Amino acid sequence: QVQVVESGGDLVQPGGSLRLSCAASVSRRFSIYAMGWYRQAPGKEREWVGHIRWSGANKDYADSVKGRFTISRDNAKNVIYLQMNSLRPEDTAVYLCYVVISGWSTYSWGQGTQVTVSS
C-alpha cells in the first residue's frame, strides 16, 4: 500500500518563494526507488518538474525550473520537499507528487496542491 499526500500550495507574488511537501506512506514490504513532482496547468499537458532517487540521492530537473527549484528529502520520514524560488506566473499549476516503488511499473500519485503565482 502506498499513500501520497502533498501540502504547501498557496498564492504567491512573482519573484517569491514557496516550499511544497510530499509525504509517502509505504508498506514495509516495499522500498522507494524515487519520488518526484509533475505539474498540471489549465489547458496544458502535464509537465514533469523533477525527481530524486532514493539510492544516491541523485536529482534531475526540467529545464524550465533548473536553477530555481530544488528537491530535498527526509529519508527517515519518506518526505520530499520542493523549494521553489524566483516564481513566475507560468509556474502556476497544480503540483502533483509521485512515488516510484522498486520493481513497480506504475507511479503512485497524490491529490495535488495548487500553486498560484500572481500579483
Side-chain angles (χ1 to χ4, degrees):
Q1 292 285 350
V2 180
Q3 293 182 323
V4 185
V5 179
E6 307 97 329
S7 61
D10 205 346
L11 170 64
V12 62
Q13 292 188 344
S17 298
L18 199 62
R19 190 178 82 158
L20 306 182
S21 300
C22 174
S25 177
V26 180
S27 169
R28 291 183 179 181
R29 294 181 295 159
F30 307 126
S31 60
I32 295 174
Y33 172 74
M35 291 179 66
W37 297 90
Y38 271 80
R39 64 186 181 185
Q40 179 86 61
K44 294 186 178 180
E45 292 187 357
R46 185 172 291 190
E47 178 188 19
W48 176 74
V49 174
H51 68 192
I52 180 169
R53 293 180 180 83
W54 236 236
S55 175
N58 294 332
K59 307 171 191 179
D60 295 296
Y61 301 95
D63 288 343
S64 59
V65 305
K66 201 171 292 183
R68 301 187 298 123
F69 291 11
T70 303
I71 295 175
S72 60
R73 71 179 186 186
D74 183 336
N75 282 14
K77 298 180 180 179
N78 285 347
V79 174
I80 64 169
Y81 305 96
L82 180 65
Q83 177 66 44
M84 304 185 292
N85 298 327
S86 302
L87 282 162
R88 305 166 181 169
E90 54 264 39
D91 294 317
T92 295
V94 173
Y95 283 71
L96 299 132
C97 179
Y98 66 90
V99 176
V100 183
I101 297 297
S102 297
W104 288 19
S105 60
T106 59
Y107 290 6
S108 298
W109 294 93
Q111 80 289 348
T113 186
Q114 177 70 48
V115 173
T116 303
V117 185
S118 175
S119 54

